[in-house]
Amino acid sequence: MTVDYWDDLDADLAAVPTNLVLTPEPSRTTPDWTFSTITFSSIGHRGSGRYRAAGYLSIPTRPGPHPGVLEIPRHGSVNHTPHSNDRARYAILTLMHRGQRLADAPYRAPYPGLLIDGIVDASEYVYRGIVADCLRAAEILRSHPGVDSARIAAVGEDLGVLTAARRPFFRALRVDGLLLTDPWRRAESTRAYPMESLNDFRRHGTDDELVAARSTTALYDPLALAGDVTAAALVSDGSASGAALASRLGGTADTLVPTGRDRIDDDARDAWLAAQLGAPAMSRYADAMIPLPGD
């Protein structure tokens, strides 16, 4: 069922024209990069024919083509503009999926609650549309004339695994955190949201609803699709679930156990990605950071 489910999603997405609209942002454009806000069409949301997702797109002004980076949306209502160091090195697209700020009409994502929105019906689960938004954003980035299609990476939470599995043109995949991986077991050991939403559902849902919810999340568990990822991968997580994901990613994925010291962890993740894409490593700290006028 897993392959058919994702094939059906791809077919639905292919039937929707991209209708990309690019709006330049002069206040965020510098001599080193051009900056734009984009909107584009993805599959509909519960009866609507199409949904408009959004993103920030920054392209270096030096001669290209440039390595491309797709920033997978975080779990939260707001995604920040890409870091100045990344704008200087990469053609970078930061996605806002349906329900997040700039893509929250007609649907405004509930926080907490997004993780279980529509969970009893895989065809209505909100993450079906969110994954479609990620896939469409990946296509937009790859097709940009300023992007080197042989050097594209996805970075962010484990939603990136699903994206890279269904769009096998990524050279690198950096998983900076877990959300969808092994969700029910991970929820047992926390009372923090968003995973606590699953515990809420477990307490208040019926037995039939719980069976249906587990069936839906099994489709979206990156462990189920990790074997289809062809990109080099880094999993930045020290848990058993993180180790399981790394082992499914071709058996060759690198693992970074976070130290909890931001500079060390951020610099290590940055250096790994830069090496994969043939770019210089850059620290986000002290005098290594590029000033960011306009933000």
Side-chain angles (χ1 to χ4, degrees):
M1 176 181 177
T2 301
V3 174
D4 291 343
Y5 182 85
W6 294 112
D7 285 347
D8 288 345
L9 173 59
D10 275 334
D12 289 348
L13 183 60
V16 177
T18 301
N19 291 330
L20 176 66
V21 175
L22 186 149
T23 304
E25 299 264 5
S27 67
R28 288 173 167 155
T29 293
T30 76
D32 296 317
W33 58 75
T34 61
F35 192 98
S36 304
T37 298
I38 68 169
T39 59
F40 59 89
S41 293
S42 182
I43 65 171
H45 183 77
R46 295 175 186 163
S48 64
R50 299 171 187 176
Y51 198 95
R52 297 293 288 176
Y56 297 125
L57 178 64
S58 179
I59 307 293
T61 54
R62 68 181 184 278
H66 312 285
V69 173
L70 174 63
E71 283 196 320
I72 300 296
R74 59 185 290 274
H75 183 86
S77 60
V78 176
N79 291 283
H80 301 295
T81 57
H83 195 276
S84 58
N85 289 2
D86 294 335
R87 299 187 207 184
R89 293 175 291 173
Y90 308 123
I92 185 163
L93 172 55
T94 302
L95 171 65
M96 282 76 85
H97 67 58
R98 64 193 61 208
Q100 294 183 316
R101 191 77 53 82
L102 300 185
D104 55 358
Y107 172 70
R108 181 170 295 177
Y111 295 100
L114 180 69
L115 192 58
I116 59 173
D117 190 354
I119 199 171
V120 297
D121 183 348
S123 68
E124 294 293 322
Y125 189 37
V126 68
Y127 271 87
R128 186 175 192 272
I130 290 172
V131 171
D133 300 343
C134 291
L135 298 179
R136 179 53 52 88
E139 295 164 358
I140 290 170
L141 181 63
R142 188 191 191 204
S143 66
H144 193 284
V147 172
D148 181 349
S149 62
R151 292 189 294 159
I152 301 178
V155 302
E157 292 179 347
D158 56 3
L159 185 58
V161 177
L162 308 184
T163 307
R166 297 304 299 181
R167 296 293 181 271
F169 51 71
F170 287 96
R171 173 178 285 192
L173 167 66
R174 199 184 74 195
V175 181
D176 295 340
L178 304 186
L179 176 67
L180 302 171
T181 301
D182 196 14
W184 297 95
R185 191 182 69 80
R186 289 175 47 242
E188 291 175 355
S189 61
T190 185
R191 290 296 178 265
Y193 290 96
M195 305 314 296
E196 180 67 4
S197 294
L198 295 177
N199 295 326
D200 291 340
F201 190 90
R202 189 165 15 211
R203 285 189 288 267
H204 301 295
T206 67
D207 289 344
D208 287 345
E209 288 172 335
L210 184 56
V211 169
R214 286 181 176 274
S215 177
T216 295
T217 55
L219 291 168
Y220 288 83
D221 191 331
L223 293 173
L225 281 84
D228 295 332
V229 173
T230 58
L234 173 69
V235 178
S236 182
D237 184 273
S239 69
S241 297
L245 179 59
S247 70
R248 298 281 183 93
L249 286 165
T252 59
D254 295 316
T255 301
L256 172 67
V257 178
T259 65
R261 299 171 67 183
D262 288 348
R263 177 163 190 161
I264 292 174
D265 297 338
D266 289 347
D267 285 357
R269 284 187 283 260
D270 181 274
W272 183 90
L273 183 66
Q276 297 300 320
L277 297 183
M282 294 183 69
S283 176
R284 296 190 176 193
Y285 298 88
D287 58 354
M289 189 173 72
I290 293 176
L292 189 60
D295 275 356

